[in-house]
Amino acid sequence: MHNIFSRVNNVSALLSSCVMGLLAAIAVMSMVSSVFEAPLEGGSVVVTGVTVVPGKGRQHKYEHARVEFEIDSDLSPLFNWNTKQLFLYLDAEYTNAKGVKNAVVIWDRIVRRKEDAKIHVAGRQKYAFKDLSGFRDAAATYTLRYNMMPHVGALMYGTAGTTNGTVSFPPMINHS
């Protein structure tokens, strides 16, 4: 008593339920497998120079830090069947003159292939690094962090390298 349309509807409903169940199983397995992965080791961040110069905005004066650094890290162990891309970023964590703890991203890069996952960068920051209260008597810790974006599953965050100790900000250079 069933016509052809009701039979096609039943078969397509069964197939779509099977596909959804398979996708759910893959998502759960990828999340479980990411819990057991070993943390990344062996990366290094070296700050080769920091200068502080005055800056002036529309309403406030501020201090602008210029940071030169070297990054050396092998991120290829993070690439597997489920890795879509990696978002790398170098952040500076410091406490300013008013006692406020800050974390500022000063450099980033997107890595889409395993062949590009060996990072060797010697350069300077990409983004402005400024503080209204100043960098006087402050020191920063620079950390290379990553965000792994999978094809299926949750985002995974981690650390790929950090400086040995803190790096002090020098006195501001006055341009007269």
Side-chain angles (χ1 to χ4, degrees):
M1 308 301 157
H2 297 288
N3 62 17
I4 188 75
F5 295 114
S6 64
R7 290 177 192 256
V8 168
N9 185 28
N10 288 339
V11 170
S12 66
L14 176 67
L15 290 177
S16 63
S17 296
C18 292
V19 167
M20 290 305 226
L22 181 64
L23 290 176
I26 290 172
V28 168
M29 290 302 293
S30 72
M31 289 173 59
V32 168
S33 68
S34 67
V35 170
F36 297 111
E37 288 183 7
L40 195 61
E41 296 178 3
S44 70
V45 177
V46 177
V47 175
T48 57
V50 177
T51 57
V52 178
V53 296
K56 186 176 179 185
R58 289 185 176 173
Q59 298 175 350
H60 304 286
K61 292 182 179 180
Y62 59 86
E63 290 184 5
H64 183 86
R66 295 181 181 152
V67 180
E68 295 178 5
F69 56 85
E70 293 179 7
I71 297 173
D72 186 21
S73 185
D74 183 12
L75 303 165
S76 57
L78 295 174
F79 279 87
N80 57 31
W81 64 271
N82 195 27
T83 305
K84 182 176 183 181
Q85 66 183 13
L86 294 176
F87 177 68
L88 305 175
Y89 55 99
L90 180 66
D91 68 357
E93 295 180 15
Y94 69 101
T95 303
N96 66 8
K98 292 186 177 180
V100 178
K101 188 171 183 174
N102 296 302
V104 180
V105 174
I106 61 173
W107 176 88
D108 66 0
R109 177 180 285 178
I110 295 174
V111 179
R112 292 188 172 97
R113 300 180 321 154
K114 186 174 184 175
E115 295 79 27
D116 300 332
K118 292 186 179 182
I119 306 297
H120 303 285
V121 176
R124 58 189 311 187
Q125 71 204 43
K126 284 172 71 172
Y127 304 111
F129 186 12
K130 55 188 174 181
D131 196 315
L132 292 174
S133 63
F135 295 109
R136 185 176 35 257
D137 298 328
T141 302
Y142 299 87
T143 306
L144 179 64
R145 302 181 190 275
Y146 65 86
N147 178 355
M148 188 194 74
M149 298 172 197
H151 290 287
V152 177
L155 297 174
M156 190 173 81
Y157 296 89
T159 302
T162 188
T163 54
N164 293 331
T166 59
V167 179
S168 297
F169 291 100
M172 183 170 53
I173 299 171
N174 291 319
H175 292 177
S176 301

